[in-house]
C-alpha cells in the first residue's frame, strides 16, 4: 500500500481488510451499505463462487476460465467477498461512456461512401455484427431487409444492469426503441454505419448491409460488457457464424498498458477461435489535455498536477512508472477554487483518494474521486519522489490538466498534453482493433439549414486529415501499438432515433423517410464512435469472404493493406494514424488470397464473382474465386472493342487492371465473362 495522507479516515477500513480489492473496488466498498456495485472477480473456482453469490440473492455470472462478474451491495462486497478465500482479486467495474459524436457541437455530415467507388458482392451476409451500445431503434428502415423483415436477430436490454435488474437476451424483436434516451440514438447511428440496409430513398447504407445484427443496450459497466462478450461468442458459435463486435465507448482512465483483467479478457475472446474481431473506438480527446507525465530529476522533488473540472468524472488516475511492486511516490490530494488557496481534503465519507500496488503490472496506482464536482474547482495532486521515479496521470474527457500557480504550495502545476489520449482500458487490448477517425466530408446539406460549408466555418479539418478530436497514442508499452487504424468518421450520415427537425439537433438531420406513417430520420454525426463501425462493417465483409480468418491474420491484413498518403506519412505505424487508413478493397484481396491458401470453399451462388474498385482512369478487378478462364473487354458506344484481355488460371484474390486513361472522352462498356457469369458495367470518361 502507498502510504502518506491518501487514506486518512478510511485507512483503517482498507488496510488490511480489503486487500483483495483493487483501488476502484475499494472505493465501491466504502459506499452506502445498500448501494449496488458491479465488479469482476479473479477466482480459482468461478462456478462455486457464482453459485454462492446467487444463493445470497445477487446477480453473478461466469464469463471465462477463472473470471466471474457480480452486482452486489457495498456491504456484501466489503464484508463477504473481501473475506472469501476463493477470490484472488476483486476488480472494480469501471463505468465507460459513449464516445459521443462531436457533430452535435459542430454540425456536419458524411455518407459512408468515399470518393473512390468500391463494388463487391460481399455484403456481410452470414456474419453476425454485434453492437454493444445504447439508443437503438429496432424497427428503423435501416435494419429491415428488402422484404420489410427485421434483420436484427437478438436484442438484450441491459441499461439497468447496475441497478440489479436482470434481463435475458431475446429473439422476439420488439417494435420501437430500447428506451435509452441518454445517448440520443447513438446505437442506431453506429449500427446503421456498420450494417444499414440498402434502400431506394437514399445512399446512406452501411458497409455490411446484409449482415445479421445483435443489439445490446449497455449500462456501460465493465463487468456487464464482459458478460456481453461471453454471450456473443457463445451465440455465434451455436449459429456457426463468424462475428464482429463494435464497441464505440470507453474511458481514458487506466494504465494504458494492455495488462488489465478487462484487456486480457478482450484478448482471450479475440483469440479463442477464428472468424472473430473486436473493434473499439479510440476516443474523442485528441484536442484535450487529458494526460500529464513527469520523471523526477532529484530526490524529494515535488510537483503538482491540477485538473479543471467540467467533464465526465473529474477523476485523477495516476500510475507510477516503476514496475517493481514497491512504493516510490508520495501523493497528497487538494481541492481549490481558481482564486483561493488550496485546501487539503478531509475525506469526509465519499470524497477520497485511494491507492494500491497493482498486481498485474507492479505499479503504484492512485485514484481521486471528488464528492461535488464543480467547474469552479480544481482538483490537485502534489506528488514527490526520488530521482528517476516518475508517473503518468489521466483524467476523463472535457477536463484538462492546466498550468496553475499555487502560491501557498510554492508550486506551479504541470501542463497537460494530448499524448496517450486513447482509452486506457479496452482500447489498449492488444488483440482488439483501436480506431481513430479522419475527415471525408466538409460540405453538407441539412434538412433545416441547407448547404453548410463546415471547413469554412472552422468546424472540421480538411479532407483526408485526421479529425482534430480523434484520440492518439502511443501506449505505455512501446511494443503495444495503438491505435491500429483510422477510418472515415468526420462526418458520417446514418440512421438515428430521438431526433426531430425542431430539436436542438435538427440542423444535423440530412434525410427524412416516411415508413408506414412514421417519419424516420438520418443524421450527421462525427467522432471515433462513427469510425469504429466503418471498420466493423469492413471486417464483416472480409469474414464473409474468408470466415476462417484468425485474429492474427486480421491484424496482418490491417497492417499490410492500410493506405498511406501525405497525411498519414510513410512510417509503418505512428501514434496518430496507426497503420494508416482502412482499405476495404485491398484488405478483401488479402482475405481472399489467404482463403485460397487455406482451402476455404469458393464463393458459390454469387451473381457477381468479382469485386471492383475505380480510381480515376483505373479499374481494379478482383476475382473472388479461382477461374479457369476469363475475358475482359472494353467497348465504345459503337460496339467497337477498345481493349481486350484473355486470362487463364486465375487465382482467388488475383487482381486485373483496366487502364482507361488513354481513351478519349465518351461512354464505354466494360464486359467481364467467366465460365459462370457475364458482367457489364457502364463507364463515362469526362
Amino acid at each position: 500500500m502507498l502510504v502518506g495522507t491518501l487514506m486518512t479516515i478510511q485507512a483503517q477500513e482498507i488496510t488490511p481488510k480489503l486487500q483483495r480489492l483493487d483501488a476502484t473496488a475499494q472505493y465501491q466498498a466504502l459506499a452506502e451499505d445498500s448501494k449496488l456495485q458491479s465488479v469482476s472477480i479473479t477466482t480459482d473456482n468461478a462456478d462455486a463462487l457464482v453459485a454462492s453469490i446467487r444463493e445470497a440473492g445477487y446477480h453473478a455470472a461466469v464469463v471465462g476460465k477463472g473470471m466471474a462478474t457480480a452486482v452486489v451491495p457495498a456491504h456484501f462486497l466489503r464484508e463477504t467477498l473481501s473475506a472469501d478465500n476463493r477470490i484472488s482479486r476483486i476488480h472494480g467495474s469501471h463505468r465507460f461512456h459513449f464516445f459521443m459524436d462531436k457533430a452535435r457541437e459542430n454540425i456536419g455530415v458524411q455518407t459512408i461512401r468515399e470518393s473512390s467507388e468500391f463494388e463487391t458482392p460481399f455484403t456481410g451476409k452470414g456474419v453476425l455484427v454485434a453492437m454493444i451500445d445504447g439508443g437503438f431503434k429496432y424497427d428503423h428502415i435501416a435494419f429491415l431487409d428488402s422484404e420489410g423483415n427485421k434483420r436484427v436477430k437478438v436484442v438484450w436490454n441491459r441499461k439497468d444492469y447496475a441497478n440489479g435488474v436482470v434481463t435475458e437476451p431475446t429473439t422476439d424483436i420488439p417494435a420501437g426503441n430500447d428506451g435509452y434516451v441518454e445517448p440520443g440514438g447513438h446505437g442506431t447511428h453506429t449500427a446503421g454505419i456498420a450494417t444499414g440496409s440498402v434502400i431506394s430513398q437514399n445512399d446512406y447504407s452501411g458497409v455490411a448491409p446484409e449482415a445479421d445484427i445483435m443489439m445490446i443496450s449497455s449500462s456501460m459497466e465493465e463487468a456487464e460488457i464482459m458478460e456481453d462478450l461471453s454471450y456473443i461468442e457463445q451465440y455465434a458459435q451455436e449459429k456457426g457464424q463468424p462475428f464482429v463486435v463494435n464497441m464505440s465507448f470507453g474511458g481514458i482512465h487506466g494504465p494504458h498498458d494492455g495488462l488489465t483483467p478487462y484487456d486480457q479478457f478482450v484478448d482471450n475472446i479475440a483469440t479463442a477461435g477464428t472468424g472473430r474481431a473486436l473493434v473499439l473506438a479510440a476516443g474523442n480527446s485528441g484536442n484535450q489535455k487529458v494526460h500529464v507525465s513527469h520523471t523526477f530529476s532529484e530526490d524529494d522533488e515535488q510537483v503538482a498536477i491540477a485538473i479543471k473540472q467540467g467533464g465526465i468524472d473529474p477523476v485523477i488516475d495516476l500510475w507510477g512508472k516503476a514496475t517493481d511492486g514497491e512504493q516510490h511516490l508520495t501523493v497528497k490530494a487538494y481541492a481549490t477554487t481558481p482564486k483561493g488557496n488550496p485546501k487539503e481534503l478531509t475525506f469526509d465519507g465519499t470524497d477520497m483518494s485511494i491507492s494500491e500496488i497493482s498486481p498485474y503490472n507492479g505499479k503504484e496506482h492512485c485514484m481521486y474521486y471528488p464528492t461535488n464536482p464543480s467547474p469552479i474547482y480544481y482538483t490537485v495532486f502534489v506528488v514527490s519522489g526520488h530521482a528517476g521515479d516518475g508517473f503518468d496521470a489521466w483524467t476523463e474527457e472535457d477536463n484538462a490538466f492546466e498550468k496553475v500557480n499555487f502560491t501557498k504550495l510554492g508550486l506551479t502545476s504541470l501542463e497537460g498534453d494530448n499524448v496517450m489520449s486513447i482509452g486506457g482500458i479496452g482500447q489498449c487490448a492488444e488483440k482488439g482493433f483501436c480506431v481513430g477517425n479522419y475527415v471525408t466530408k466538409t460540405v453538407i446539406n441539412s434538412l433545416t439549414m441547407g448547404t453548410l460549408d463546415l471547413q469554412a466555418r472552422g468546424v472540421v479539418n480538411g479532407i483526408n486529415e485526421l479529425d482534430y478530436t480523434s484520440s492518439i497514442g502511443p501506449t505505455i508499452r512501446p511494443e503495444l501499438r495503438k491505435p491500429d487504424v483510422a477510418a472515415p468518421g468526420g462526418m458520417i450520415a446514418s440512421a438515428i432515433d430521438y431526433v426531430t427537425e425542431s430539436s436542438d439537433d435538427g440542423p444535423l438531420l440530412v434525410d427524412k423517410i416516411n415508413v408506414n406513417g412514421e417519419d424516420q430520420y438520418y443524421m450527421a454525426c462525427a467522432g471515433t464512435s462513427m469510425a469504429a463501425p466503418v471498420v466493423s462493417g469492413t471486417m464483416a465483409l472480409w469474414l464473409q469472404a474468408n470466415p476462417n480468418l484468425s485474429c492474427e491474420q486480421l491484424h496482418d491484413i490491417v497492417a499490410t493493406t492500410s493506405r498511406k498518403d501525405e497525411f498519414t506519412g510513410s512510417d509503418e505505424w505512428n501514434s496518430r494514424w496507426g497503420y494508416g487508413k482502412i482499405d476495404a478493397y485491398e484488405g478483401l484481396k488479402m482475405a481472399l488470397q489467404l482463403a485460397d491458401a487455406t482451402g476455404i470453399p469458393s464463393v458459390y451462388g454469387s451473381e457477381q464473382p468479382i469485386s471492383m474498385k475505380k480510381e480515376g482512369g483505373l479499374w481494379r478487378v478482383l476475382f473472388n474465386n479461382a477461374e479457369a478462364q476469363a475475358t475482359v473487354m472494353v467497348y465504345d458506344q459503337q460496339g467497337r472493342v477498345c481493349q481486350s484481355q484473355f486470362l487463364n488460371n486465375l487465382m482467388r484474390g488475383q487482381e486485373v487492371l483496366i487502364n482507361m486513361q488513354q481513351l478519349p472522352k465518351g461512354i464505354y462498356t466494360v464486359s467481364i465473362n467467366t465460365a459462370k457469369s457475364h458482367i457489364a458495367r457502364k463507364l463515362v470518361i469526362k
Side-chain angles (χ1 to χ4, degrees), residues 625-655:
N625 291 317
E627 299 283 356
Q629 291 182 326
T631 59
V632 180
M633 312 288 285
V634 179
Y635 301 91
D636 64 14
Q637 283 184 285
Q638 285 73 44
R640 294 173 296 195
V641 176
C642 302
Q643 290 186 21
S644 62
Q645 297 185 54
F646 299 92
L647 308 166
N648 294 310
N649 300 319
L650 289 155
M651 301 294 291
R652 181 167 18 185
Q654 185 171 334
E655 182 183 74

CSV table of all heavy atoms in Angstrom, one decimal, residues 625-655:
chain,number,residue,atom,x,y,z
A,625,ASN,N,-13.2,-15.7,-56.8
A,625,ASN,CA,-12.9,-17.2,-56.9
A,625,ASN,C,-11.9,-17.5,-57.9
A,625,ASN,O,-11.6,-16.6,-58.7
A,625,ASN,CB,-14.2,-17.9,-57.3
A,625,ASN,CG,-15.3,-17.9,-56.2
A,625,ASN,OD1,-15.0,-18.1,-55.0
A,625,ASN,ND2,-16.5,-17.6,-56.6
A,626,ALA,N,-11.3,-18.6,-57.8
A,626,ALA,CA,-10.4,-19.1,-58.8
A,626,ALA,C,-11.2,-19.3,-60.1
A,626,ALA,O,-12.3,-19.8,-60.0
A,626,ALA,CB,-9.7,-20.4,-58.4
A,627,GLU,N,-10.7,-18.9,-61.2
A,627,GLU,CA,-11.4,-19.1,-62.5
A,627,GLU,C,-10.4,-19.7,-63.5
A,627,GLU,O,-9.3,-19.3,-63.6
A,627,GLU,CB,-11.8,-17.8,-63.1
A,627,GLU,CG,-12.8,-17.0,-62.2
A,627,GLU,CD,-14.2,-17.6,-62.2
A,627,GLU,OE1,-14.5,-18.5,-63.0
A,627,GLU,OE2,-15.1,-17.1,-61.5
A,628,ALA,N,-10.9,-20.8,-64.2
A,628,ALA,CA,-10.1,-21.4,-65.3
A,628,ALA,C,-9.8,-20.4,-66.4
A,628,ALA,O,-8.7,-20.3,-66.9
A,628,ALA,CB,-10.7,-22.6,-65.8
A,629,GLN,N,-10.8,-19.6,-66.8
A,629,GLN,CA,-10.7,-18.6,-67.9
A,629,GLN,C,-11.5,-17.4,-67.6
A,629,GLN,O,-12.6,-17.5,-66.9
A,629,GLN,CB,-11.1,-19.2,-69.2
A,629,GLN,CG,-10.1,-20.3,-69.7
A,629,GLN,CD,-10.6,-20.8,-71.1
A,629,GLN,OE1,-11.8,-20.9,-71.4
A,629,GLN,NE2,-9.6,-21.2,-71.9
A,630,ALA,N,-11.1,-16.3,-68.1
A,630,ALA,CA,-12.0,-15.1,-68.1
A,630,ALA,C,-11.5,-14.2,-69.2
A,630,ALA,O,-10.4,-14.2,-69.7
A,630,ALA,CB,-11.8,-14.4,-66.7
A,631,THR,N,-12.5,-13.4,-69.7
A,631,THR,CA,-12.2,-12.4,-70.7
A,631,THR,C,-12.7,-11.0,-70.2
A,631,THR,O,-13.7,-10.9,-69.6
A,631,THR,CB,-12.9,-12.7,-72.1
A,631,THR,OG1,-14.3,-12.7,-71.9
A,631,THR,CG2,-12.4,-14.0,-72.6
A,632,VAL,N,-11.9,-10.0,-70.5
A,632,VAL,CA,-12.2,-8.7,-70.1
A,632,VAL,C,-12.2,-7.8,-71.3
A,632,VAL,O,-11.1,-7.7,-72.0
A,632,VAL,CB,-11.2,-8.1,-69.0
A,632,VAL,CG1,-11.5,-6.7,-68.6
A,632,VAL,CG2,-11.1,-9.0,-67.8
A,633,MET,N,-13.3,-7.2,-71.7
A,633,MET,CA,-13.4,-6.4,-72.9
A,633,MET,C,-13.9,-5.0,-72.6
A,633,MET,O,-14.8,-4.9,-71.7
A,633,MET,CB,-14.4,-7.1,-73.9
A,633,MET,CG,-14.1,-8.6,-74.1
A,633,MET,SD,-12.6,-8.9,-75.1
A,633,MET,CE,-13.2,-8.5,-76.7
A,634,VAL,N,-13.4,-4.0,-73.3
A,634,VAL,CA,-13.9,-2.7,-73.2
A,634,VAL,C,-14.5,-2.2,-74.6
A,634,VAL,O,-13.7,-2.3,-75.6
A,634,VAL,CB,-12.8,-1.7,-72.8
A,634,VAL,CG1,-13.4,-0.3,-72.7
A,634,VAL,CG2,-12.3,-2.1,-71.4
A,635,TYR,N,-15.7,-1.8,-74.7
A,635,TYR,CA,-16.4,-1.4,-75.9
A,635,TYR,C,-16.7,0.1,-75.9
A,635,TYR,O,-17.1,0.6,-74.8
A,635,TYR,CB,-17.7,-2.2,-76.1
A,635,TYR,CG,-17.5,-3.7,-76.2
A,635,TYR,CD1,-17.6,-4.5,-75.0
A,635,TYR,CD2,-17.2,-4.3,-77.4
A,635,TYR,CE1,-17.4,-5.9,-75.1
A,635,TYR,CE2,-17.1,-5.7,-77.5
A,635,TYR,CZ,-17.2,-6.5,-76.3
A,635,TYR,OH,-17.1,-7.8,-76.4
A,636,ASP,N,-16.7,0.7,-77.1
A,636,ASP,CA,-17.2,2.1,-77.1
A,636,ASP,C,-18.7,2.1,-77.5
A,636,ASP,O,-19.3,1.0,-77.6
A,636,ASP,CB,-16.4,2.9,-78.1
A,636,ASP,CG,-16.5,2.4,-79.6
A,636,ASP,OD1,-17.4,1.6,-79.9
A,636,ASP,OD2,-15.7,2.9,-80.4
A,637,GLN,N,-19.3,3.2,-77.7
A,637,GLN,CA,-20.7,3.3,-78.0
A,637,GLN,C,-21.1,2.6,-79.3
A,637,GLN,O,-22.3,2.2,-79.5
A,637,GLN,CB,-21.2,4.8,-78.0
A,637,GLN,CG,-21.3,5.4,-76.6
A,637,GLN,CD,-21.9,6.8,-76.7
A,637,GLN,OE1,-21.2,7.7,-77.0
A,637,GLN,NE2,-23.1,6.9,-76.3
A,638,GLN,N,-20.2,2.5,-80.2
A,638,GLN,CA,-20.5,1.8,-81.5
A,638,GLN,C,-20.3,0.3,-81.4
A,638,GLN,O,-20.4,-0.4,-82.4
A,638,GLN,CB,-19.6,2.4,-82.6
A,638,GLN,CG,-20.1,3.8,-83.0
A,638,GLN,CD,-19.8,4.9,-82.0
A,638,GLN,OE1,-18.7,4.9,-81.5
A,638,GLN,NE2,-20.7,5.8,-81.7
A,639,GLY,N,-19.9,-0.2,-80.2
A,639,GLY,CA,-19.7,-1.6,-80.1
A,639,GLY,C,-18.3,-2.0,-80.5
A,639,GLY,O,-18.0,-3.3,-80.6
A,640,ARG,N,-17.4,-1.1,-80.8
A,640,ARG,CA,-16.0,-1.5,-81.2
A,640,ARG,C,-15.2,-1.8,-80.0
A,640,ARG,O,-15.3,-1.2,-78.9
A,640,ARG,CB,-15.4,-0.4,-82.0
A,640,ARG,CG,-16.1,-0.1,-83.3
A,640,ARG,CD,-15.5,1.1,-84.0
A,640,ARG,NE,-15.8,2.4,-83.2
A,640,ARG,CZ,-15.7,3.6,-83.6
A,640,ARG,NH1,-15.3,3.8,-84.9
A,640,ARG,NH2,-15.9,4.6,-82.9
A,641,VAL,N,-14.4,-2.8,-80.1
A,641,VAL,CA,-13.5,-3.3,-79.0
A,641,VAL,C,-12.3,-2.3,-78.9
A,641,VAL,O,-11.6,-2.1,-79.8
A,641,VAL,CB,-13.0,-4.7,-79.2
A,641,VAL,CG1,-12.0,-5.1,-78.1
A,641,VAL,CG2,-14.1,-5.7,-79.3
A,642,CYS,N,-12.2,-1.7,-77.7
A,642,CYS,CA,-11.1,-0.8,-77.4
A,642,CYS,C,-10.0,-1.4,-76.7
A,642,CYS,O,-8.8,-1.0,-76.8
A,642,CYS,CB,-11.6,0.4,-76.6
A,642,CYS,SG,-13.0,1.3,-77.4
A,643,GLN,N,-10.3,-2.4,-75.8
A,643,GLN,CA,-9.3,-3.1,-75.1
A,643,GLN,C,-9.8,-4.6,-74.9
A,643,GLN,O,-11.0,-4.8,-74.9
A,643,GLN,CB,-9.1,-2.5,-73.7
A,643,GLN,CG,-8.3,-1.2,-73.7
A,643,GLN,CD,-8.0,-0.8,-72.2
A,643,GLN,OE1,-8.0,-1.6,-71.3
A,643,GLN,NE2,-7.8,0.5,-72.0
A,644,SER,N,-8.9,-5.5,-74.8
A,644,SER,CA,-9.3,-6.9,-74.5
A,644,SER,C,-8.2,-7.6,-73.8
A,644,SER,O,-7.0,-7.3,-74.0
A,644,SER,CB,-9.6,-7.6,-75.8
A,644,SER,OG,-8.4,-7.7,-76.7
A,645,GLN,N,-8.6,-8.5,-72.8
A,645,GLN,CA,-7.6,-9.3,-72.1
A,645,GLN,C,-8.2,-10.7,-72.0
A,645,GLN,O,-9.4,-10.9,-71.7
A,645,GLN,CB,-7.4,-8.8,-70.7
A,645,GLN,CG,-6.7,-7.4,-70.6
A,645,GLN,CD,-6.4,-7.0,-69.2
A,645,GLN,OE1,-5.7,-7.7,-68.5
A,645,GLN,NE2,-6.9,-5.8,-68.8
A,646,PHE,N,-7.4,-11.7,-72.3
A,646,PHE,CA,-7.8,-13.1,-72.2
A,646,PHE,C,-7.0,-13.7,-71.1
A,646,PHE,O,-5.7,-13.8,-71.2
A,646,PHE,CB,-7.7,-13.8,-73.5
A,646,PHE,CG,-8.5,-13.3,-74.6
A,646,PHE,CD1,-8.0,-12.3,-75.5
A,646,PHE,CD2,-9.9,-13.7,-74.8
A,646,PHE,CE1,-8.8,-11.7,-76.5
A,646,PHE,CE2,-10.6,-13.1,-75.8
A,646,PHE,CZ,-10.1,-12.1,-76.6
A,647,LEU,N,-7.6,-14.3,-70.1
A,647,LEU,CA,-6.9,-14.7,-68.9
A,647,LEU,C,-7.2,-16.2,-68.6
A,647,LEU,O,-8.3,-16.6,-68.7
A,647,LEU,CB,-7.4,-13.8,-67.7
A,647,LEU,CG,-7.3,-12.3,-67.9
A,647,LEU,CD1,-8.1,-11.6,-66.8
A,647,LEU,CD2,-5.9,-11.8,-67.9
A,648,ASN,N,-6.1,-16.9,-68.2
A,648,ASN,CA,-6.2,-18.3,-67.8
A,648,ASN,C,-5.7,-18.5,-66.4
A,648,ASN,O,-4.8,-17.8,-65.9
A,648,ASN,CB,-5.3,-19.1,-68.8
A,648,ASN,CG,-5.9,-19.1,-70.2
A,648,ASN,OD1,-7.1,-19.3,-70.4
A,648,ASN,ND2,-5.0,-18.8,-71.2
A,649,ASN,N,-6.3,-19.5,-65.7
A,649,ASN,CA,-5.9,-20.0,-64.4
A,649,ASN,C,-5.8,-18.9,-63.4
A,649,ASN,O,-4.7,-18.7,-62.8
A,649,ASN,CB,-4.5,-20.7,-64.6
A,649,ASN,CG,-4.6,-21.9,-65.5
A,649,ASN,OD1,-5.6,-22.7,-65.5
A,649,ASN,ND2,-3.6,-22.1,-66.3
A,650,LEU,N,-6.8,-18.1,-63.3
A,650,LEU,CA,-6.9,-17.0,-62.3
A,650,LEU,C,-7.0,-17.6,-60.9
A,650,LEU,O,-7.8,-18.5,-60.6
A,650,LEU,CB,-8.0,-16.1,-62.6
A,650,LEU,CG,-7.9,-15.2,-63.8
A,650,LEU,CD1,-9.3,-14.8,-64.3
A,650,LEU,CD2,-7.1,-14.0,-63.5
A,651,MET,N,-6.2,-17.0,-60.0
A,651,MET,CA,-6.3,-17.4,-58.6
A,651,MET,C,-7.3,-16.6,-57.8
A,651,MET,O,-7.5,-15.4,-58.2
A,651,MET,CB,-4.9,-17.3,-57.9
A,651,MET,CG,-3.8,-18.1,-58.6
A,651,MET,SD,-4.1,-19.9,-58.4
A,651,MET,CE,-3.8,-20.1,-56.6
A,652,ARG,N,-7.8,-17.1,-56.8
A,652,ARG,CA,-8.7,-16.3,-55.9
A,652,ARG,C,-7.9,-15.1,-55.3
A,652,ARG,O,-6.8,-15.3,-54.8
A,652,ARG,CB,-9.3,-17.1,-54.8
A,652,ARG,CG,-10.3,-16.3,-54.0
A,652,ARG,CD,-11.1,-17.1,-53.0
A,652,ARG,NE,-10.7,-18.5,-52.8
A,652,ARG,CZ,-11.4,-19.3,-52.0
A,652,ARG,NH1,-12.6,-18.9,-51.5
A,652,ARG,NH2,-11.0,-20.5,-51.8
A,653,GLY,N,-8.5,-13.9,-55.4
A,653,GLY,CA,-7.8,-12.7,-54.9
A,653,GLY,C,-6.8,-12.1,-55.9
A,653,GLY,O,-6.2,-11.1,-55.6
A,654,GLN,N,-6.8,-12.7,-57.1
A,654,GLN,CA,-5.9,-12.1,-58.1
A,654,GLN,C,-6.6,-10.8,-58.7
A,654,GLN,O,-7.8,-10.8,-58.9
A,654,GLN,CB,-5.7,-13.1,-59.3
A,654,GLN,CG,-4.7,-12.6,-60.3
A,654,GLN,CD,-4.3,-13.7,-61.3
A,654,GLN,OE1,-4.3,-14.9,-60.9
A,654,GLN,NE2,-3.9,-13.4,-62.5
A,655,GLU,N,-5.8,-9.8,-59.0
A,655,GLU,CA,-6.3,-8.5,-59.5
A,655,GLU,C,-5.9,-8.3,-60.9
A,655,GLU,O,-4.7,-8.6,-61.3
A,655,GLU,CB,-5.8,-7.4,-58.6
A,655,GLU,CG,-6.3,-6.0,-59.0
A,655,GLU,CD,-5.6,-5.0,-58.1
A,655,GLU,OE1,-4.4,-4.7,-58.3
A,655,GLU,OE2,-6.4,-4.4,-57.3
